Amino acid sequence: MTTDTATLAPSIRALSSVNDAHIWQLADVLVDCVEGGASVSFMLPLTRDRALGFWQRVGEGVARGERALLVAEDAQGIVGTVQLVLDQPENQPHRAEVSKMLVHRRARRQGVGALLMQAVEQLARDHGKTLLVLDTSSAEAERLYARQGWTRVGVIPGFALLPGGEPCDTTYFYRVLG
């Protein structure tokens, strides 16, 4: 009996350092998400150079311990990622921000987002964090976060722009970790 590797759940791991191969694969995920309409701080057209530069800076933050970076990998490489921003003001040592939860369109609706969220919550606990916050402009992501037990705080209308320039609302969530 053979196993179809496309049906296997991706593995999730934290990157303690970010190398060039990671940066290239992460750039592919970011470009795909932006081209798919995700409002994740970038406008169209998102060039590979801009995406590579972003992930280089993220890698530098990982090296300094300011953030943690998780990746989801399947047989073809990195298909998803999420960041945990650990560097918070001194009066907020108990919290972290979940940022840039991205899943390549070829891996969506396969549980990758849920696996990444479960892993980032555990990583936050491992770092002694008891409160997480995040924001999204995606109705699909909102449903995922609600299913994962996050609490919706509210919506700020017209907070950001979609990659094509149209205004979009942003919804804020939090999760108290037990």
Side-chain angles (χ1 to χ4, degrees), residues 23-46:
I23 289 171
W24 275 86
Q25 291 180 58
L26 288 162
D28 287 341
V29 173
L30 178 60
V31 168
D32 176 75
C33 289
V34 172
E35 287 178 352
S39 176
V40 290
S41 305
F42 295 93
M43 304 300 288
L44 289 172
L46 175 56

Side-chain angles (χ1 to χ4, degrees), residues 6-26:
T7 62
L8 295 176
S11 62
I12 309 294
R13 68 181 173 116
L15 297 181
S16 56
S17 63
V18 183
N19 64 35
D20 288 344
H22 298 135
I23 289 171
W24 275 86
Q25 291 180 58
L26 288 162

Side-chain angles (χ1 to χ4, degrees), residues 7-145:
T7 62
L8 295 176
S11 62
I12 309 294
R13 68 181 173 116
L15 297 181
S16 56
S17 63
V18 183
N19 64 35
D20 288 344
H22 298 135
I23 289 171
W24 275 86
Q25 291 180 58
L26 288 162
D28 287 341
V29 173
L30 178 60
V31 168
D32 176 75
C33 289
V34 172
E35 287 178 352
S39 176
V40 290
S41 305
F42 295 93
M43 304 300 288
L44 289 172
L46 175 56
T47 65
R48 175 159 285 285
D49 285 344
R50 282 183 45 227
L52 291 170
F54 170 76
W55 288 110
Q56 263 181 328
R57 290 186 299 280
V58 168
E60 292 164 2
V62 169
R64 288 189 301 268
E66 297 168 351
R67 63 186 59 231
L69 177 64
L70 294 170
V71 295
E73 297 170 293
D74 67 9
Q76 297 176 46
I78 295 175
V79 294
T81 184
V82 66
Q83 297 175 46
L84 185 65
V85 181
L86 299 164
D87 187 26
Q88 300 296 325
E90 69 179 69
N91 70 336
Q92 300 168 38
H94 60 290
R95 79 168 186 90
E97 181 177 347
V98 174
S99 178
K100 299 293 185 279
M101 211 284 283
L102 307 170
V103 177
H104 195 286
R105 286 179 287 180
R106 75 173 173 82
R108 293 201 185 144
R109 299 208 165 298
Q110 298 174 28
V112 176
L115 290 171
L116 283 166
M117 291 305 293
Q118 292 162 11
V120 80
E121 288 176 20
Q122 185 56 54
L123 185 62
R125 286 182 191 94
D126 294 346
H127 281 275
K129 303 300 181 181
T130 58
L131 177 66
L132 297 178
V133 296
L134 63 76
D135 67 83
T136 185
S137 64
S138 161
E140 192 172 288
E142 284 189 45
R143 287 188 296 276
L144 168 66
Y145 302 143

